[in-house]
Amino acid sequence: MTEKTYTACLVIVGNEILSGRTTDANLPFLAKRLGELGIRLREVRVVADSEAAIVKAVNEVRAAYDYVFTTGGIGPTHDDITSGCVAKAFGVDLERNPEAVRRLEKHYKPGMLNQARLRMAEVPVGATLIDNPVSTAPGFRLGNVFVLAGVPRIMQAMFEGIAPTLTGGKPMLTRSVGCTLGEGALAQGLGEIQARHPDVDIGSYPYYRVGGFGVSLVARGTDKGRLEVVVREIADLITSLGGAPAFDVAGA
C-alpha cells in the first residue's frame, strides 16, 4: 500500500513583498518545518493586497492541497484584508469573535483597544482561533486553510502551536554533495542517477564563494537507505570525472 503524500501551499499576502521593500522570511521557515513534519510544500504564491487576488488564490489552492497557509494581512490597518477575503472564499460572514475580543481586552491597557485594533478580532464564522503567544491577536483556521501573521516571529510562534495538530507522512531527509566541477560535466550522469531513483529528488545548485565556483548536488527523500545509495552514486560520479566530493558542506 502506497503511503499518502501530504501536500501544502503557502500564500504570501502583501504589496510590500511584491514591491521588493520587504524580503519574505517566512518561506524558509515553513518549508523546513513542513518537511520535518512529513508535509511537502508544493507551491508558493505571492499575491497583492487585493480582494480578488486573495480570494482566487485561496479557492484554487485549498482545492489542490491538503494544507494551505497564508501569511500577512491580519493586522489593524486598512490594507489588512486577508480575514475578510478568506471568509468570502468560503462563502461565510466575517464576525467579531468574542474570544478574540476577550484576548485583546486582556492584552491592551484600558482605553488602548480602539476600533482599528478590534479589527484583529474579526474572523470568519466557523473559524477556529490560532493562539498568538507573542502579541495576542490570533490567527485562525477555516477548513484546511491556516491564516497566520506576516511578522516572522509571530508567524513562527503561531505555527509551532498548530504543528502538533498537523498530519504528515515520513519526514523529508536531505543530503548534499559539493564539488568544483561544472554542471555541464555532471549533467548526463546526474540525469542517469535520477532516472534510476525516481523516489529521490535530486537538484543541482551552482554557487560562488571565496576560492571559486562550485555546485551543490542535493538529494531529498524519505528513505534513509535509498538516500545513502543516491549520495554514494553522486560521489562516485564526481570522482569518475576527476572531482573531489565534499559531503554536507554548509554553504555548498
Side-chain angles (χ1 to χ4, degrees):
M1 182 177 178
T2 303
E3 183 178 353
K4 173 179 170 57
T5 298
Y6 292 86
T7 60
C9 176
L10 170 61
V11 179
I12 302 168
V13 179
N15 290 340
E16 70 277 12
I17 303 295
L18 290 169
S19 71
R21 291 179 58 85
T22 300
T23 300
D24 176 74
N26 293 323
L27 170 56
F29 172 85
L30 282 171
K32 181 176 183 296
R33 288 293 288 117
L34 289 171
E36 292 170 347
L37 295 171
I39 300 169
R40 308 285 186 89
L41 184 61
R42 293 297 199 195
E43 184 179 354
V44 179
R45 297 193 187 189
V46 183
V47 298
D49 296 314
S50 157
E51 181 180 280
I54 297 171
V55 171
K56 178 175 182 291
V58 168
N59 275 333
E60 288 178 352
V61 301
R62 72 186 179 96
Y65 302 101
D66 295 302
Y67 298 108
V68 174
F69 301 91
T70 76
T71 58
I74 59 172
T77 60
H78 70 282
D79 56 345
D80 290 311
I81 61 173
T82 301
S83 299
C85 293
V86 172
K88 186 168 184 177
F90 278 84
V92 299
D93 292 330
L94 196 66
E95 68 173 359
R96 184 161 292 178
N97 184 281
E99 172 58 21
V101 172
R102 187 194 68 77
R103 296 183 189 186
L104 292 174
E105 288 175 337
K106 185 177 179 180
H107 176 72
Y108 286 103
K109 295 179 180 179
M112 297 296 291
L113 184 58
N114 55 27
Q115 289 302 308
R117 287 172 172 149
L118 279 170
R119 290 187 71 231
M120 296 187 292
E122 295 178 354
V123 302
V125 173
T128 302
L129 298 183
I130 295 175
D131 291 339
N132 173 0
V134 177
S135 60
T136 302
F140 63 86
R141 173 184 181 173
L142 188 59
N144 63 337
V145 178
F146 296 77
V147 177
L148 309 175
V151 178
R153 180 168 172 245
I154 301 174
M155 184 282 297
Q156 292 173 19
M158 285 182 170
F159 182 83
E160 294 302 347
I162 63 173
T165 72
L166 304 177
T167 300
K170 294 181 180 179
M172 182 62 68
L173 307 174
T174 302
R175 290 290 308 279
S176 67
V177 187
C179 67
T180 56
L181 298 175
E183 282 190 298
L186 294 159
Q188 180 177 338
L190 198 64
E192 292 170 355
I193 295 172
Q194 180 67 90
R196 289 195 296 271
H197 304 282
D199 55 327
V200 176
D201 296 326
I202 304 173
S204 176
Y205 308 101
Y207 64 85
Y208 177 79
R209 60 185 181 187
V210 177
F213 291 93
V215 62
S216 180
L217 305 173
V218 179
R220 302 176 71 243
T222 58
D223 187 306
K224 184 177 180 180
R226 296 282 290 172
L227 200 60
E228 292 301 325
V229 170
V230 170
V231 167
R232 176 45 56 191
E233 290 189 17
I234 292 173
D236 290 345
L237 171 65
I238 293 170
T239 301
S240 72
L241 295 170
F247 298 91
D248 301 312
V249 177

